[in-house]
Amino acid sequence: MNRLRRPVEFVKDRLGWEAMIKPIDHYAPPETTEGKSQWAYIFGFGILFSFLLQVATGIVLATNYVPSPDSAYQSIQYITDEVRFGNTIRAMHWIGASAMVILVLIHACRVFLTASYKYPREFNWISGVVLLYLTFGMALTGQLLRWDQHGVWTVVVAANFAGRVPFVGEHIAEFIMAGETVSGETLTQFYALHVFILPIAIVLLIGLHLFLVTYHGISELPRAGKPVDPETYKQEYQEYVEKHKRPYWPKGIWNELFFGGLVVIVIVSLAFLIGPRELAPPPDLTDLSAQPQPDWFIIWYYALISVKPHGYEEFFLVYLPIGFFLFLLILPLIANRGERHPSKRPFAIIGLSVVVGLFIMLTVVGLRAPWVPDYETEPLQAAELGTEEPRLLEGAMVFHERGCQYCHQIHGEGGEWGPDLTDVSSRMGSEQIAVRIVQGIGNMPAYQDILTTEEVDLLVEFLNEVDELEPD
Amino acid sequence: MTGKPSMLYRLTGGRLGRAPTPPESSPGCPGGCGCAGQQGSNSQPVTSRRNFLAMVGVGTAGLAATLAGIPIIGALFSTPARSERVWHVVGSIDDFEVEDTVKVEFIDDDPVPWAGPAARNAAYLRRLGEEEFTAFSIYCTHVGCPVAWRAGASLFICPCHGGVFDREGDVVAGPPETPLLRLDTRVRDGQVEVLAAPVPVTGRRNA
């Protein structure tokens, strides 16, 4: 029979192939499918591919992970050490998460730069913003599922942030911890969020996002002096793509597939090369020397809330994040018409540059984290100071033992929060130094009740002389 | 032959049930001229019936969603009830030196058997006098990281953002704006007890 002689046709017909590819079988603006400018339109596919990879590696992890507080850590060790390719799968999931965060941010910046969120693509942007925050939510909950020393503290910190939200904060915090404290129920709560609730929301929104992209068509490159006018935009867009007749499927999609594939190849290669994130020590909420480390994409915010001016706590911890989120969400509703070209939107571009600049600067500052006291610092010894003078050595001991050295450096040894005190004698007299120690100033605590008079004297003498001493 | 309307039809005022069938031919309406009017009046109950059935469908689905949703949402947002805070013995009174601040540990009340490390809690305890103790929550009031007691410096220092508290729990440096939360303590039969408190998230702290 005819249909058996042409099995391809048979399958196509019965599957409704024509209808299936119809959403992408249309004309696209030529600059999005060819030439240099087509490379501005690849990031969405990179995100999609890395998300699919996350789903696949996530399934593998979930088949071996035990979401119970007393076994989760061991099960990750098991995945790392025993499961075939387990180490690589963990690495792929971790690096894939980072890749997704990076790509989502780049994608958002690109769409903002070309103002593609304007009419009629308002909901493309809004669904994308929600996806951006869901991606961050996944990253945060995933960090916790590692259930190591950093992971458990992530819960407490996350609950604390949530607790500051006006009116409902406490309820969100209790939902996050599944109770008033970190307890036996906490981990399963995060597990359900990471494995079911957030991914389902992401899949649904990706569906909506992709539907909208095909429904409204890919946005053309902005041209200066050609503002978006909702009255005429749709018709002009239609005429524009009809005129050039560049089909999106299958030739217009090649570079997106290429980039998506490249992203996956890079993730897998890096996974083989650098392996998964090292597990911190097992979780112990009674180990108070723990130093919770957030993953890299949170570090900028950690830095921001460390270096923020004193006061304004609610502003930086509550209203700034909520305000920024709401701003992104309603952006296309308050600015859905007008110029799209960056050269005609100076304030938008300045704003974006400031945000990107701050993100990079704060990440760099956060990686150095100078505000973290240096507990590991070693006391300065006679050999390093080049002196045998007992009172000076005693001063050096006090300087170390009483915690001055956690925050102050001398001859390159010590923390970085306070000023380097090697040459303090050139800036302040003995009396001033003593007053500063006893009374404190700004972030320098007052040591009045902590140090004895003798200790203050020793410190002042030591600080007065230390610049003259030559370390070997 | 004229069919009678069904009882359901009459009871529902024409929304449901069998409508009266019109006479097959009416002497006063030859041809089909009058039938248009008849059909018009006839289609009314059919449309209402359709509307009603649509409402039944939507209503049933809505009811199903509500019925299923109550236990699902209810269970999803249930948090274990902790009606009473429990006193935890953290040591004998002689274990603590006057003027010393030390870390004490205790196990959470009524943990699920698999809670493991999640059930373990700590607090800072400072002995002030013979039977006088102060206990501090370990959570920094900035974003909740664990503050570390550094005996040499007599300070609580937070590793996350550099918050520093003195031995009374008051902020002396860094971003925190409120003192460390204090926990209730008491001495019973020579044993020091601490009243466990929830993680001090801000909403509760201000309350």
Side-chain angles (χ1 to χ4, degrees), chain A residues 6-168:
Chain A
R6 300 168 68 183
V8 174
E9 287 306 310
F10 164 76
V11 171
K12 273 184 160 183
D13 177 66
R14 299 305 193 275
L15 275 180
W17 177 251
E18 299 291 321
M20 215 188 260
I21 64 160
K22 192 147 190 146
I24 53 171
D25 186 21
H26 56 64
Y27 295 135
E31 68 270 21
T32 66
T33 57
E34 50 192 52
K36 266 189 211 152
S37 53
Q38 66 177 316
W39 296 102
Y41 291 83
I42 53 175
F43 300 108
F45 256 80
I47 299 168
L48 185 63
F49 274 44
S50 50
F51 175 71
L52 294 176
L53 187 66
Q54 288 303 89
V55 172
T57 50
I59 289 171
V60 177
L61 291 174
T63 54
N64 292 290
Y65 182 74
V66 182
S68 133
D70 62 354
S71 315
Y73 188 81
Q74 284 166 286
S75 73
I76 294 187
Q77 284 179 321
Y78 172 78
I79 292 171
T80 312
D81 300 332
E82 307 286 332
V83 175
R84 193 198 307 151
F85 288 123
N87 198 44
T88 310
I89 294 287
R90 267 196 65 211
M92 283 163 70
H93 204 66
W94 178 54
I95 294 164
S98 292
M100 235 182 115
V101 170
I102 294 172
L103 289 168
V104 164
L105 291 176
I106 294 177
H107 183 60
C109 287
R110 197 283 290 165
V111 174
F112 183 82
L113 267 180
T114 58
S116 301
Y117 54 80
K118 297 202 175 199
Y119 177 91
R121 301 188 179 84
E122 292 94 337
F123 277 104
N124 297 40
W125 172 267
I126 292 171
S127 57
V129 169
V130 179
L131 279 167
L132 169 75
Y133 281 83
L134 287 172
T135 306
F136 270 87
M138 284 300 278
L140 185 80
T141 50
Q143 181 181 323
L144 176 127
L145 291 186
R146 231 181 280 130
W147 203 242
D148 56 11
Q149 189 65 289
H150 299 329
V152 285
W153 283 105
T154 307
V155 196
V156 180
V157 174
N160 256 277
F161 271 109
R164 289 176 183 269
V165 175
F167 308 119
V168 292

Side-chain angles (χ1 to χ4, degrees), chain A residues 146-274:
Chain A
R146 231 181 280 130
W147 203 242
D148 56 11
Q149 189 65 289
H150 299 329
V152 285
W153 283 105
T154 307
V155 196
V156 180
V157 174
N160 256 277
F161 271 109
R164 289 176 183 269
V165 175
F167 308 119
V168 292
E170 199 180 329
H171 298 284
I172 304 178
E174 285 188 13
F175 175 69
I176 286 177
M177 289 189 290
E180 294 182 326
T181 55
V182 176
S183 67
E185 291 88 350
T186 310
L187 182 57
T188 39
Q189 188 87 351
F190 271 79
Y191 182 75
L193 275 169
H194 188 79
V195 177
F196 296 107
I197 300 171
L198 296 180
I200 288 173
I202 287 180
V203 167
L204 292 177
L205 275 165
I206 286 180
L208 174 65
H209 199 70
L210 291 182
F211 166 76
L212 289 171
V213 169
T214 57
Y215 178 70
H216 291 302
I218 298 168
S219 78
E220 76 282 14
L221 272 187
R223 269 167 293 167
K226 194 149 187 335
V228 173
D229 178 3
E231 297 287 316
T232 54
Y233 178 83
K234 279 191 178 178
Q235 198 187 346
E236 281 172 10
Y237 179 85
Q238 207 51 44
E239 282 164 8
Y240 178 62
V241 295
E242 294 287 347
K243 190 174 106 197
H244 291 88
K245 295 202 190 313
R246 295 291 198 290
Y248 181 61
W249 173 264
K251 286 189 178 146
I253 212 170
W254 79 268
N255 65 322
E256 279 138 310
L257 292 176
F258 170 77
F259 179 71
L262 196 65
V263 166
V264 173
I265 291 170
V266 168
I267 292 172
V268 178
S269 310
L270 284 178
F272 273 109
L273 278 174
I274 61 181

Side-chain angles (χ1 to χ4, degrees), chain A residues 164 286 306 371 402 443 449, chain B residues 103 142 152 160-161 167 174:
Chain A
R164 289 176 183 269
T286 63
S306 295
W371 52 83
R402 291 307 206 173
N443 274 334
D449 304 330
Chain B
K103 180 182 78 172
H142 184 220
C160 286
H161 309 99
R167 60 183 151 215

Side-chain angles (χ1 to χ4, degrees), chain A residues 318-457:
Chain A
V318 184
Y319 298 109
L320 188 71
I322 293 179
F324 192 68
F325 174 67
L326 290 180
F327 168 74
L328 287 184
L329 217 50
I330 64 166
L331 173 67
L333 302 179
I334 54 177
N336 78 334
R337 54 176 66 212
E339 289 285 351
R340 285 181 56 209
H341 197 272
S343 68
K344 298 279 183 182
R345 296 159 54 232
F347 294 112
I349 303 312
I350 291 170
L352 179 66
S353 315
V354 169
V355 169
V356 172
L358 276 177
F359 180 87
I360 294 170
M361 272 166 49
L362 285 169
T363 302
V364 171
V365 171
L367 284 170
R368 271 188 50 227
W371 52 83
V372 175
D374 183 1
Y375 295 141
E376 312 292 311
T377 186
E378 296 288 331
L380 290 158
Q381 306 289 350
E384 292 158 298
L385 291 169
T387 180
E388 297 292 337
E389 174 63 46
R391 275 189 73 80
L392 289 181
L393 293 179
E394 227 176 304
M397 285 308 293
V398 173
F399 189 77
H400 176 262
E401 255 167 40
R402 291 307 206 173
C404 312
Q405 212 171 313
Y406 294 152
C407 299
H408 292 287
Q409 278 196 346
I410 280 186
H411 292 311
E413 185 65 43
E416 295 177 38
W417 196 213
D420 188 321
L421 295 183
T422 313
D423 58 349
V424 67
S425 57
S426 64
R427 301 193 298 265
M428 300 164 88
S430 303
E431 189 135 332
Q432 264 182 302
I433 295 178
V435 168
R436 185 62 53 90
I437 293 172
V438 170
Q439 296 185 348
I441 187 172
N443 274 334
M444 163 81 189
Y447 277 80
Q448 203 159 5
D449 304 330
I450 299 169
L451 299 174
T452 62
T453 323
E454 169 65 4
E455 283 174 323
V456 175
D457 288 344

